[in-house]
Amino acid sequence: MVIGLSFLLNWVGVLVFAILGTSLLSAPDGKDIPFTNALVILVVSNATAFAGYVFHGWLGDRIGRRNTIAIGWILCGASFTAMLLAPSGNFTVVVALYSAGLFFLIGPFSALLFFNGESFPVRTRATGGSIINAGGQVGAIISSFLVTLALGAGWTWSTAAFWIGCVPIFASGLLILAARNVNPRTVRQD
């Protein structure tokens, strides 16, 4: 339940920053970056997210996957909050903070992949992981509904991104700490 709810909350934020990222970056009431530059930011930040995926996989083997996920998602919430608070239109700052945000948002999914498996008995591992992954899609549906309501009610993109993106991501990082910690060196592979 804890992993599933954490994953759902995280996907509420994933929709805002990873899927609707170009809209947030290019909107005048978002970060006001020209659309062509917003696409450049997405290319650079997605390359950074790939590096985050590799790094968090490595870190998960060292300090445990649960802790790696928590640290990554908490730092992600902080990075995206800093980006939203930074001056609009500043390409360099937005690139750096958006890239850091995606590094810490996408990267922990490499640890989560194995943490799901470690958290269930062998006979239910695939079912448990599938249910958790399905919760992410529910989070995306909830997020799209909330973003539509917020923007329709007159919220700015930055305000909507903070409350519907940053807060749930940060909360998912804290909530995952309530999951049972698994030492990767003690997991049976049979």
Side-chain angles (χ1 to χ4, degrees):
M1 293 298 292
V2 170
I3 300 169
L5 186 54
S6 296
F7 193 65
L8 183 146
L9 280 172
N10 191 265
W11 260 86
V12 170
V14 165
L15 182 101
V16 171
F17 291 106
I19 298 170
L20 296 176
T22 307
S23 298
L24 169 65
L25 294 172
S26 61
D29 63 346
K31 295 316 297 173
D32 199 25
I33 302 291
F35 183 74
T36 54
N37 288 348
L39 293 175
V40 170
I41 292 172
L42 287 177
V43 171
V44 170
S45 59
N46 279 310
T48 306
F50 171 77
Y53 199 81
V54 173
F55 172 77
H56 285 86
W58 172 83
L59 187 62
D61 289 339
R62 302 302 176 279
I63 68 169
R65 291 174 176 89
R66 184 201 67 179
N67 296 338
T68 297
I69 297 163
I71 290 167
W73 286 348
I74 290 168
L75 291 175
C76 170
S79 298
F80 283 141
T81 298
M83 181 195 77
L84 292 173
L85 294 174
S88 292
N90 189 326
F91 184 77
T92 305
V93 171
V94 172
V95 168
L97 292 171
Y98 190 75
S99 295
L102 282 185
F103 180 89
F104 293 118
L105 176 65
I106 304 301
F109 282 96
S110 64
L112 183 65
L113 176 68
F114 291 98
F115 187 61
N116 278 345
E118 295 167 351
S119 298
F120 294 96
V122 173
R123 68 185 180 284
T124 62
R125 204 168 269 174
T127 303
S130 296
I131 291 170
I132 288 170
N133 288 331
Q137 298 310 305
V138 174
I141 293 166
I142 292 168
S143 182
S144 59
F145 178 74
L146 292 175
V147 167
T148 301
L149 281 179
L151 295 177
W155 289 22
T156 65
W157 252 111
S158 292
T159 302
F162 175 75
W163 288 108
I164 303 167
C166 296
V167 171
I169 290 170
F170 187 78
S172 70
L174 293 176
L175 182 59
I176 198 78
L177 290 171
R180 181 176 60 92
N181 195 19
V182 178
N183 182 345
R185 293 165 188 45
T186 64
V187 175
R188 290 184 52 189
Q189 300 300 320
D190 54 353

